[in-house]
Amino acid sequence: MNKYQAIFEPLTIKRMTLKNRIAMPPMGTNFANQNGSFNDKHYSYYEQRAKGGTGLIILENVCFDYPMGTNGTTQLRMDNDQFIPGLWEFNERMHAYGTKTCVQINHAGASAYGLRLNGVQPVSASNIPSKTGNTVPRPLTKEEIYEIVAKYGEAANRAQRAGFDSVEIHAGHSYLLSQFLSPIYNKRTDEFGGTPENRARFTKLVIEAVRQAVGPFFPIFLRISADEMLPNGNTLEDSIELLNFIAEDVDVIDVSAALNDSLQYQIDKMNLPDGWRSYMAKAVKEKFPEKIIATSGNIRDPKRATEILENGDADILHMGRGLIAEPNWANKVENGQEALLRKCISCNIGCADHRIAKSRPLRCTVNPDVYYEDAYKEDQIKNPIKMVVVGGGTTALEAANTAAEIGAEVSLYEEKNYLGGLAHEIARFPDKKRIDDFVEYLENRTTENNITVHLNQRFGLNDLANEKPDIIVNATGAKPLLPPIKGLHDELAKDNRKVFTIFDILGDLAKFDTFEGEEIVVIGGGAVGLDVVEYYAERGARKVSIVEMQGTVGKDLDMITRLAMMEVIEKYDVEVHTDTTLLEVRGDNFLVKMPNGEERELPFTKGFVALGMKADAPLENDFVTYANENNATYLNLGDSKQARRIYEGSQEARANILTAVHGKDRQLTATVVHRKDRQLAATV
C-alpha cells in the first residue's frame, strides 16, 4: 500500500468521479490569444498537468460577460457559442489522461481589466475600488444584477455543452460576487446590502441560476475567501454565516482566503507553512459535513497533504503553483519518486508577478519550461560530448542536468563542501527555507543523472587540461558589491567588528541569533537587505532600520514578497530611510545623508551592508582562450554573467545548454561526415 494512500482514494461528486484528491485550481496564465481563444502552448501547459496524474483540473477563470466581466491581460472567453470548439478540445485533451475537468465562471466587477473597457466605468456592489488605488466603480442597478445572474446561468449551460465535468462559481478574491459578500466593498442599503443575508443574495441567485441551467446531477463548486484577512472584512466566522444562505445548492466549497489588499495570503507568501489554510477548511467542513471541501495554501509535501486528508480537514487538495512547478506531482508521489519532486518554493516571481504585476505570460523559477516539461529529453545527441561545469549553484546544477539528460558526459566542480550556492545560503534564513527544496531536488536529480561532482575543489587550469571538455560552463556566481565608501573596508577587516556583509550572516547564522536589545541598521533596501530586516524584526530586535538610496525599498521584489515585506515593516515599526545616501561606515554607526541634505548618524549594535551583488568570473579569460584554441564552446551563465535571481539562472541554463550541446553535436556530426567524404574521395 502506498504510504500516501489517502491522496489516491477516488472521490465521487454527483456523477463525476475523481481518480485522486489532487486538483489544479484556476490560475490565470496570460497564455490565451487576444481574441479569447486557446493556442497550442496553452493546451500543452494543461496537458502536462493531466499527463502528470492530476485528478481534477479547473480551467482558469473564463469571461462570460465581455468586456465588463473580463480580467487579466489575456483571458479565455465563453460569452458565446463560438468558443465552444476550443473548450471542447481542451476537455478532450484532459479526458484522454483520465483527468476530470471544471471551469471557473467569474465576473470581475471592479477588478475588470481597464484597457478592455475603453473608458467605461467598471461595476461593483458600491463605489469602493477592489484594490487600493484602483479605478472607482459604479454600483450595479437591480436590473443589471438580474441580467448578470442570467448570464451566469447561460455560461454554466455553455460549459456543460463544451464537455466540462463540473463548474465553479468564483465568489472570492475581490471579484464581483466577493464585492457583494464583503462589507469592505458592499455599502448598499437595498436588499443586496447590509445584513449577511442581503449581501449573500446576489450569490444565492447566481447559484440557483447555475443549478437550473445544469440540472441536478452536475457538480457545482463555489470558491470563497473564507477569511478576508483585512480589518472590517469577513472573518472565518462571518463567512460560515454567509454560507448558511448560499451553500444548499453547491456540491463543493472551495475554501480560499484573502482579497486584493491582502494578496500575500491569497497567493501565499513563502514563509506560510504547508497547508496553512486547512484550519479554515476544517471549520467549514464541521459546519457543512455533507459538503465536499477543497483546501489550498502552499501544499507541497505529500506527508502534509496526506495529513490534511486523514484528519478530515478537507476532501480535495488544491495545488496551484505546486503543479506549475511540478506537473508530475501526483505520478511521482504515487510511484515512490518523492526525492525527484520539483517543489514550488513560493517565490511568486514567474507566476504571480509576471502575470499580475508585469502582464507577462506565466513562467516558473524552478521549472524552465511550463509548456512542454520533459520534451527536450527526447532529442538525444548522437556524438560523445564532454562538458565541464564550474560552480555548484542552482544555475550550474540546472545546466549540468539538462546536458546530462540529452546524453552529454558532465563533470561539475564546486570549491565549497556543499551544492546550491547562494540559494542554499539564503535558505538558512528561517523565512526562506523553502528555497532549499529546489536545491535538494537539483542534488537528487544530479545523482539520478550520474553527474561527476567534485566538492571542495577549486577549478584550475590543470583541471581544464585533464578534462579536455568540448563545452565549458562558467557558473561561479557573484560576490557582494562593496564600493569604496569611507570606512567600509576598514571596518570589515577588523576582528571584533560590528559591521557585516550578507555573507557573514549567511555563513554562520548561529553567530547572529541574539535579538533582545539589538539595534540593527541595514544599508540597502533590496531583497537581501529586506531578508535581514525580516530576520531581526520578527524575532524581537529592539530597533530595526533600513537605508535605501532610491525612493522606495523592495523596488525589484515580486509583488507578493513586497507586500509581505511592507507588512513586516509596518507591523514591527521598522524605520525606513529612503532617498538616503551612505557617506561613511564607522565602528558603531553609519553616517548618512538624509533627503533634506542633513548628515545624520545611525547607531547600531550590528550594521549590515547589503548593496547588492556583482558578477564573479575570475577564470573567464582562461576559458575563452582554451575554447578558441581547442574548438570548444564556452558559456558564462547565471550570476557570474550578471547578478540576478534564481529564475533568470534557471531559464538561461536550460535554453543556452540545449542550444550549445545540440550545436556542438551538429558540428561533430558534420566533421565526421566531412572526414568520410574526404576518405571516400581519396580512394576514388
Side-chain angles (χ1 to χ4, degrees):
M1 175 181 283
N2 189 302
K3 61 181 176 179
Y4 305 124
Q5 190 62 34
I7 296 173
F8 300 100
E9 288 289 338
L11 176 66
T12 298
I13 310 167
K14 292 284 177 69
R15 292 178 175 174
M16 175 179 74
T17 298
L18 308 181
K19 63 183 177 181
N20 60 46
R21 304 304 179 93
I22 302 303
M24 184 177 185
M27 297 176 292
T29 60
N30 283 347
F31 292 164
N33 296 320
Q34 283 294 331
N35 65 359
S37 64
F38 282 99
N39 54 59
D40 286 342
K41 283 185 174 181
H42 203 168
Y43 283 131
S44 182
Y45 162 78
Y46 281 107
E47 198 167 8
Q48 299 306 319
R49 280 84 199 155
K51 182 180 178 181
T54 306
L56 172 69
I57 290 180
I58 306 178
L59 182 61
E60 61 200 78
N61 72 69
V62 177
C63 180
F64 65 85
D65 185 11
Y66 189 87
M68 296 304 295
T70 188
N71 75 291
T73 309
T74 63
Q75 186 186 19
L76 292 168
R77 288 172 59 180
M78 58 183 298
D79 48 301
N80 65 60
D81 285 1
Q82 296 175 77
F83 297 101
I84 287 180
L87 295 164
W88 180 269
E89 183 174 349
F90 166 84
N91 285 301
E92 280 186 324
R93 292 192 182 209
M94 301 309 108
H95 289 154
Y97 296 98
T99 297
K100 298 300 182 181
T101 60
C102 182
V103 59
Q104 186 184 81
I105 52 176
N106 178 37
H107 196 295
S111 294
Y113 188 66
L115 293 179
R116 291 200 195 95
L117 301 188
N118 294 319
V120 176
Q121 191 175 18
V123 297
S124 182
S126 306
N127 63 349
I128 310 298
S130 64
K131 180 182 178 181
T132 300
N134 271 15
T135 302
V136 174
R138 67 169 179 82
L140 283 167
T141 66
K142 294 177 188 178
E143 182 181 7
E144 288 173 323
I145 289 171
Y146 282 99
E147 288 173 357
I148 292 172
V149 167
K151 289 181 180 180
Y152 268 102
E154 293 167 6
N157 174 264
R158 193 169 288 124
Q160 194 175 42
R161 288 187 286 121
F164 287 97
D165 302 299
S166 53
V167 66
E168 176 168 274
I169 300 164
H170 200 346
H173 299 171
S174 298
Y175 293 115
L176 183 61
L177 297 184
S178 169
Q179 291 156 25
F180 274 77
L181 290 169
S182 175
I184 291 177
Y185 306 123
N186 190 337
K187 308 300 180 184
R188 300 176 76 101
T189 57
D190 60 7
E191 66 267 35
F192 291 99
T195 67
E197 183 176 10
N198 283 353
R199 284 187 280 116
R201 193 178 306 279
F202 188 5
T203 303
K204 180 177 175 62
L205 289 170
V206 166
I207 294 168
E208 290 172 348
V210 168
R211 175 56 72 201
Q212 184 175 0
V214 299
F217 305 115
F218 195 75
I220 298 175
F221 291 57
L222 178 71
R223 193 171 215 190
I224 61 166
S225 291
D227 190 332
E228 294 179 345
M229 316 294 283
L230 286 172
N232 304 315
N234 284 320
T235 64
L236 177 57
E237 293 73 21
D238 294 332
S239 292
I240 288 174
E241 182 181 3
L242 288 166
L243 283 169
N244 285 324
F245 302 108
I246 58 179
E248 182 180 354
D249 275 335
V250 302
D251 304 292
V252 181
I253 302 173
D254 177 355
V255 181
S256 187
L259 300 177
N260 283 339
D261 282 337
S262 51
L263 196 64
Q264 67 272 31
Y265 297 102
Q266 176 196 140
I267 305 174
D268 319 280
K269 57 183 180 177
M270 186 180 290
N271 63 355
L272 291 168
D274 273 33
W276 71 276
R277 282 192 210 130
S278 62
Y279 75 94
M280 301 183 198
K282 183 176 183 178
V284 175
K285 184 72 174 177
E286 288 174 349
K287 181 66 178 178
F288 302 95
E290 75 284 3
K291 301 296 181 183
I292 301 297
I293 305 299
T295 190
S296 57
N298 274 351
I299 300 172
R300 312 283 179 250
D301 186 347
K303 297 184 185 68
R304 177 66 179 129
T306 301
E307 181 181 81
I308 292 169
L309 294 170
E310 289 181 343
N311 289 347
D313 295 353
D315 307 290
I316 297 173
L317 303 173
H318 276 340
M319 194 175 296
R321 292 163 301 159
L323 287 171
I324 297 173
E326 180 53 271
N328 299 296
W329 196 95
N331 283 348
K332 285 185 177 180
V333 172
E334 188 169 27
N335 296 330
Q337 296 176 295
E338 187 179 345
L340 293 176
L341 282 178
R342 185 174 49 211
K343 295 177 183 176
C344 168
I345 60 174
S346 302
C347 69
N348 296 307
I349 291 169
C351 50
D353 197 60
H354 257 231
R355 182 176 57 84
I356 302 171
K358 295 183 172 64
S359 296
R360 297 171 177 171
L362 180 146
R363 293 292 183 265
C364 179
T365 287
V366 301
N367 183 357
D369 190 346
V370 297
Y371 296 124
Y372 301 115
E373 187 58 16
D374 291 336
Y376 69 96
K377 296 178 184 179
E378 298 170 9
D379 190 7
Q380 295 287 305
I381 58 176
K382 299 175 179 62
N383 300 283
I385 291 175
K386 191 168 189 178
M387 187 171 96
V388 166
V389 180
V390 184
T394 53
T395 299
L397 291 167
E398 181 59 54
N401 281 287
T402 297
E405 285 159 353
I406 58 172
E409 178 189 348
V410 182
S411 295
L412 183 146
Y413 289 78
E414 168 55 56
E415 65 179 349
K416 297 186 179 71
N417 64 355
Y418 56 85
L419 295 173
L422 185 58
H424 176 62
E425 289 152 9
I426 291 290
R428 291 170 183 161
F429 281 128
D431 290 313
K432 296 293 181 285
K433 63 183 179 181
R434 283 190 187 276
I435 296 173
D436 248 353
D437 286 342
F438 185 42
V439 175
E440 183 180 351
Y441 155 76
L442 288 169
E443 289 179 313
N444 293 339
R445 188 171 154 207
T446 299
T447 301
E448 185 84 1
N449 288 323
N450 297 312
I451 293 169
T452 302
V453 175
H454 303 272
L455 293 177
N456 288 310
Q457 188 168 340
R458 186 177 180 86
F459 191 83
L461 298 183
N462 289 338
D463 300 302
L464 194 59
N466 292 333
E467 290 278 4
K468 297 182 175 60
D470 300 295
I471 300 173
I472 310 161
V473 176
N474 186 79
T476 45
K479 59 185 179 182
L481 181 62
L482 300 172
I485 295 169
K486 184 178 179 181
L488 174 57
H489 292 271
D490 292 338
E491 290 299 326
L492 289 174
K494 291 180 178 178
D495 291 333
N496 298 317
R497 56 193 166 106
K498 297 181 180 179
V499 179
F500 306 96
T501 71
I502 185 62
F503 281 149
D504 290 320
I505 186 170
L506 294 178
D508 193 350
L509 201 62
K511 290 183 178 179
F512 297 85
D513 62 355
T514 302
F515 306 103
E516 187 176 350
E518 294 279 10
E519 288 193 30
I520 306 298
V521 181
V522 179
I523 304 294
V528 175
L530 285 165
D531 285 341
V532 178
V533 166
E534 181 181 44
Y535 177 67
Y536 277 101
E538 289 188 337
R539 287 160 184 82
R542 189 172 76 83
K543 182 180 180 182
V544 180
S545 304
I546 187 166
V547 176
E548 169 56 47
M549 188 166 61
Q550 298 187 70
T552 184
V553 297
K555 177 175 173 289
D556 296 324
L557 291 178
D558 69 275
M559 63 184 300
I560 303 300
T561 303
R562 190 169 193 280
L563 279 170
M565 287 299 186
M566 294 307 105
E567 183 181 30
V568 168
I569 285 171
E570 182 178 354
K571 181 177 180 179
Y572 296 102
D573 295 319
V574 174
E575 194 172 275
V576 178
H577 302 283
T578 54
D579 294 313
T580 301
T581 306
L582 176 62
L583 298 177
E584 183 179 348
V585 178
R586 298 169 177 172
D588 60 0
N589 71 83
F590 292 123
L591 180 66
V592 300
K593 185 177 181 180
M594 306 298 287
N596 62 2
E598 172 196 354
E599 293 187 4
R600 178 176 165 188
E601 292 182 351
L602 299 179
F604 53 74
T605 57
K606 289 185 176 71
F608 294 89
V609 178
L611 294 173
M613 309 290 286
K614 64 177 181 179
D616 185 30
L619 293 176
E620 181 161 34
N621 290 337
D622 295 317
F623 291 155
V624 170
T625 299
Y626 176 89
N628 290 337
E629 292 176 352
N630 294 275
N631 192 31
T633 299
Y634 169 66
L635 296 174
N636 187 22
L637 301 177
D639 285 355
S640 57
K641 179 179 180 182
Q642 181 185 345
R644 291 161 293 170
R645 302 168 298 183
I646 299 171
Y647 166 77
E648 284 84 6
S650 297
Q651 296 280 328
E652 188 173 84
R654 174 67 62 80
N656 283 264
I657 290 300
L658 290 176
T659 299
V661 175
H662 284 301
K664 177 59 68 175
D665 190 40
R666 288 190 295 271
Q667 183 185 83
L668 291 173
T669 298
T671 301
V672 170
V673 170
H674 180 63
R675 188 182 300 122
K676 288 181 178 179
D677 287 346
R678 289 180 62 185
Q679 290 172 347
L680 180 62
T683 58
V684 173

